[in-house]
Amino acid sequence: MSGTINEIQDEIIEEFAILEGDAEMTNFYIIELGQKLPPLAEKHKVEENTIKGCQSKVWLITAPEGERMTFEADSNSAITKGLVSLLVRIFDHQKASDIVDADLYFIDKIGMNRFIGTQRSNGFAAMIKQIKLLALVYRDSKEIVKTNATDK
Amino acid sequence: MSHFSPHSAVAANADFDVQEIRKQFPVLHQQVNNRPLIYFDNAATSQKPAAVIEALHHYYTHDNANIHRGIHTLAERATAAFEATRLAVKELINAREVEEVIFTTGTTDSINLVTSSYGRSFIQQGDEVIISAMEHHSNIVPWQMLCEEKGAILRVIPVTEEGELQLEEYKKMLNERTKFVSIVYASNSLGTINPVEEMIDLAHEQGAVVLLDGAQATAHLDIDVQQLNCDFYAFSAHKMFGPTGVGVLYGKRRLLEKMPPYRGGGEMIKNVSFEKTTYNDIPYKFEAGTPNIGDTVAFLKAIEFIQQVGKKNIAVHEHQLLTYAHEALEKVPGLKIIGKAKKKVSVVSFIIEGVFHFDIGQMLDARGIAIRTGHHCTQPLMDIYQIEGTARASFSVYNTTAEIDSLVEGLQRIVKMMK
């Protein structure tokens, strides 16, 4: 996984274009993506790591990497795991400030809302919100550290 | 038995032709995700025959007016059409009198009418209300609210692994403090048809009043409220080929007459003054405000549809689908049917090992197959089976065994994909 957020989004758009909007193929492709996502260790599958607002269980953890962040995720639903894998692929190892500012145009471009439906779209939006919140908190904490350093 | 039992039936009437029935349902003739729609979400709501859709159109094109009290021609026509549906409902469920049929917005509204009016007047602190573990939330929450308000006790009949009520437990629960028993006739999650006649008799022996939630039963079973001897019977039009937003509460006259109104407003009064308002007679006492006239008028065509096809034909056809589905689904690797009662309406709930129920629904939708997934508004029941939810296929008179084959094929693909 490498490239900027927008480069990865463009890759995803290209991959989905091959599926030609076929609902079944798209579902199966999303499941395959999820199957490739390494499973989260059981110890991380706890309440504090769950994303609220999803029908299924989604666990997301993050770790700092300098000014960048890493993400790992898992779900008890194969399709949801595939969906969250897209976000991990886009945001893993990105700068916190870039994550906060990211415009996720790939969602509309691949017509995601059409094939995952309203309930899942709401869940997907909750995942994005959670990632951006984590990034915002991390970015601001880094800025506070920086400011403090400058003050000295 | 008051209901026709498909379990003893040999074969459907030779006149019954599912393809002819399908022609009457415009919505079925479309593609979803490039495949012919297969609609297996009938327990949530049934599709509507053209006659119902046309009746709605006709009403608003020709007869629309507010009902009762009107002197002009359209008001007369609208009133006559509205009251014709009430009479048809009376005949459908074999109520003794037409005044015992109250129109509501649906089963939920009907149950809330009973808890709010009968419950708040006649259930006191320390009294007991019995429901079952397989109730829909709409037959749990109104009773919880009532019991909390009154300091009454809510007791719950447990279910067996097969999905049947534990009658011995029910018998033990009944006592002189039991004031009300509110039970689902046919379970929306499991399909179980409960032995309600026996349960009603047992409740009456203790002097308790009984409500049947007939939301799932009315389209599938022959309903005779006099023979059942239930005190209240609640159901919705939209689960029996009629429009949404119309429901029925049947109640015995002597109970309805002693109950206070549920909501205040127009229609439900005899005379209003600031000193004293007197209430109208039943059923109008419970029908405050302008009702859902158009949909109620169109509901008549749904009842006529059921009568034309015949309850017996419907029951036999649906039972064939149910039996076929049970056998076919059990061949899907890892699939487990939840709810194997001896007597069932045409509802099959199932889980597949290692596959989240929501994913099953989404992947079947990709093949044009509509089922429902989740807890089906019966969370306590899901807790008993220690599952989060099920996938549920529910069949109606217009479904075919070929459609069930497509469902099974779809499920087999899902299982293969998930390996």
Side-chain angles (χ1 to χ4, degrees):
Chain A
M1 304 292 163
S2 61
T4 65
I5 286 175
N6 286 359
E7 281 166 2
I8 300 169
Q9 288 199 81
D10 292 340
E11 272 173 31
I12 293 171
I13 293 166
E14 266 179 51
E15 289 166 18
F16 275 75
I18 299 165
L19 303 165
E20 294 176 334
D22 182 278
E24 190 171 38
M25 298 244 295
T26 306
N27 278 330
F28 285 176
Y29 185 63
I30 291 171
I31 291 168
E32 268 181 21
L33 292 176
Q35 286 168 341
K36 287 178 196 157
L37 188 71
L40 206 57
E42 286 302 314
K43 63 175 179 182
H44 295 308
K45 293 183 181 176
V46 290
E47 185 61 29
E48 61 187 78
N49 293 332
T50 57
I51 296 176
K52 309 285 181 291
C54 298
Q55 275 250 336
S56 49
K57 287 235 162 56
V58 188
W59 301 275
L60 178 86
I61 58 165
T62 182
E65 195 184 56
E67 60 182 350
R68 294 169 189 270
M69 301 174 78
T70 65
F71 292 97
E72 288 178 80
D74 208 338
S75 173
N76 64 341
S77 149
I79 292 177
T80 306
K81 191 172 177 186
L83 292 174
V84 77
S85 83
L86 289 172
L87 297 178
V88 170
R89 179 171 160 193
I90 289 170
F91 290 127
D92 199 22
H93 304 294
Q94 301 289 357
K95 284 183 189 166
S97 55
D98 290 346
I99 296 172
V100 172
D101 296 336
D103 166 27
L104 295 183
Y105 54 82
F106 85 99
I107 300 169
D108 280 342
K109 276 274 167 67
I110 66 174
M112 181 179 287
N113 293 0
R114 187 174 45 78
F115 59 75
I116 67 174
T118 313
Q119 287 187 63
R120 277 223 145 104
S121 294
N122 293 343
F124 193 62
M127 295 177 210
I128 295 167
K129 194 174 156 193
Q130 176 80 356
I131 290 173
K132 288 206 168 204
L133 265 176
L134 290 167
L136 188 68
V137 170
Y138 186 61
R139 184 195 68 179
D140 290 353
S141 71
K142 295 296 272 186
E143 275 174 7
I144 290 163
V145 173
K146 255 191 226 163
T147 319
N148 289 345
T150 329
D151 286 348
K152 282 170 194 170
Chain B
M1 297 297 287
S2 72
H3 64 258
F4 168 76
S5 171
H7 307 267
S8 59
V10 184
N13 189 324
D15 296 338
F16 181 83
D17 180 349
V18 69
Q19 294 307 331
E20 285 301 314
I21 301 234
R22 290 181 69 81
K23 284 181 191 161
Q24 297 185 50
F25 289 82
V27 80
L28 298 177
H29 306 284
Q30 64 174 300
Q31 303 261 314
V32 169
N33 288 321
N34 302 318
R35 289 164 189 268
L37 166 67
I38 295 176
Y39 188 77
F40 283 161
D41 196 16
N42 295 287
T45 195
S46 69
Q47 296 301 343
K48 322 301 172 197
V52 169
I53 301 164
E54 282 158 17
L56 264 177
H57 185 260
H58 184 274
Y59 172 76
Y60 285 114
T61 311
H62 298 282
D63 302 333
N64 176 53
N66 211 333
I67 54 168
H68 305 129
R69 297 179 314 282
I71 192 65
H72 58 81
T73 303
L74 294 195
E76 289 287 343
R77 273 196 230 146
T79 304
F82 185 83
E83 292 302 327
T85 302
R86 198 189 305 273
L87 188 61
V89 169
K90 177 224 171 235
E91 281 161 18
L92 179 79
I93 62 173
N94 194 32
R96 194 184 301 271
E97 300 171 62
V98 72
E99 292 82 7
E100 293 176 323
V101 174
I102 297 158
F103 285 120
T104 65
T105 65
T107 309
T108 300
D109 192 30
S110 298
I111 295 172
N112 276 277
L113 195 168
V114 173
T115 58
S116 300
S117 172
Y118 184 90
R120 292 174 87 174
S121 298
F122 300 107
I123 290 171
Q124 312 300 341
Q125 188 171 12
D127 287 348
E128 294 182 7
V129 173
I130 298 179
I131 60 171
S132 87
M134 65 170 79
E135 299 308 318
H136 190 280
H137 293 166
S138 62
N139 197 28
I140 299 174
V141 183
W143 295 108
Q144 280 178 326
M145 289 162 68
L146 176 72
C147 289
E148 199 167 311
E149 182 186 321
K150 289 287 181 177
I153 298 149
L154 190 64
R155 308 194 69 177
V156 183
I157 310 166
V159 294
T160 65
E161 180 65 27
E162 299 292 290
E164 293 177 335
L165 291 182
Q166 295 187 22
L167 281 187
E168 288 311 309
E169 294 301 315
Y170 171 60
K171 287 175 191 166
K172 282 185 218 159
M173 274 176 202
L174 284 164
N175 64 66
E176 69 282 1
R177 292 185 304 279
T178 310
K179 290 293 181 298
F180 213 106
V181 177
S182 193
I183 295 293
V184 68
Y185 196 165
S187 156
N188 72 311
S189 294
L190 306 174
T192 311
I193 300 171
N194 289 316
V196 292
E197 270 180 282
E198 184 187 350
M199 295 176 76
I200 291 166
D201 287 346
L202 288 164
H204 284 167
E205 281 171 22
Q206 296 293 339
V209 170
V210 184
L211 178 143
L212 288 187
D213 168 0
Q216 295 298 331
T218 314
H220 309 282
L221 308 175
D222 202 6
I223 307 299
D224 182 336
V225 290
Q226 291 188 65
Q227 198 173 335
L228 285 166
N229 199 21
C230 54
D231 302 292
F232 296 102
Y233 187 86
F235 62 102
S236 301
H238 76 94
K239 292 189 199 283
M240 49 185 292
F241 315 112
T244 53
V246 180
V248 171
L249 175 70
Y250 155 82
K252 285 180 180 166
R253 175 182 277 276
R254 66 178 173 80
L255 295 173
L256 293 175
E257 281 185 339
K258 69 175 188 176
M259 286 159 59
Y262 170 38
R263 289 189 297 245
E267 193 71 43
M268 51 75 73
I269 48 88
K270 222 170 223 161
N271 191 48
V272 177
S273 73
F274 288 115
E275 290 72 37
K276 172 81 180 161
T277 292
T278 50
Y279 303 128
N280 206 339
D281 297 325
I282 61 165
Y284 309 113
K285 182 169 77 172
F286 297 107
E287 293 178 357
T290 298
N292 185 350
I293 306 167
D295 289 307
T296 307
V297 167
F299 181 29
L300 176 67
K301 295 294 168 188
I303 296 170
E304 286 176 359
F305 168 78
I306 290 172
Q307 284 159 341
Q308 279 157 14
V309 179
K311 274 275 176 90
K312 183 176 173 181
N313 284 334
I314 295 173
V316 171
H317 179 68
E318 289 180 349
H319 186 64
Q320 284 170 346
L321 293 175
L322 180 70
T323 311
Y324 189 87
H326 266 244
E327 283 171 17
L329 287 171
E330 290 203 315
K331 289 178 192 142
V332 177
L335 187 146
K336 184 184 173 199
I337 292 174
I338 305 292
K340 290 180 155 187
K342 284 184 223 56
K343 288 188 175 175
K344 282 181 68 169
V345 290
S346 46
V347 168
V348 187
S349 252
F350 58 88
I351 53 174
I352 298 178
E353 203 187 331
V355 188
F356 189 63
H357 55 78
F358 206 81
D359 293 355
I360 300 174
Q362 186 172 328
M363 284 189 278
L364 288 176
D365 179 63
R367 295 174 74 80
I369 303 170
I371 62 154
R372 189 147 294 249
T373 64
H375 53 63
H376 316 297
C377 293
T378 55
Q379 278 182 332
L381 186 64
M382 297 295 125
D383 292 344
I384 290 167
Y385 288 104
Q386 295 178 315
I387 51 179
E388 284 178 68
T390 71
R392 180 188 73 186
S394 50
F395 313 118
S396 186
V397 65
Y398 39 69
N399 291 125
T400 66
T401 51
E403 289 181 317
I404 294 171
D405 290 340
S406 299
L407 169 69
V408 171
E409 192 191 327
L411 292 172
Q412 272 162 341
R413 274 178 70 89
I414 292 168
V415 171
K416 211 168 152 189
M417 177 64 207
M418 293 295 192
K419 272 186 180 168

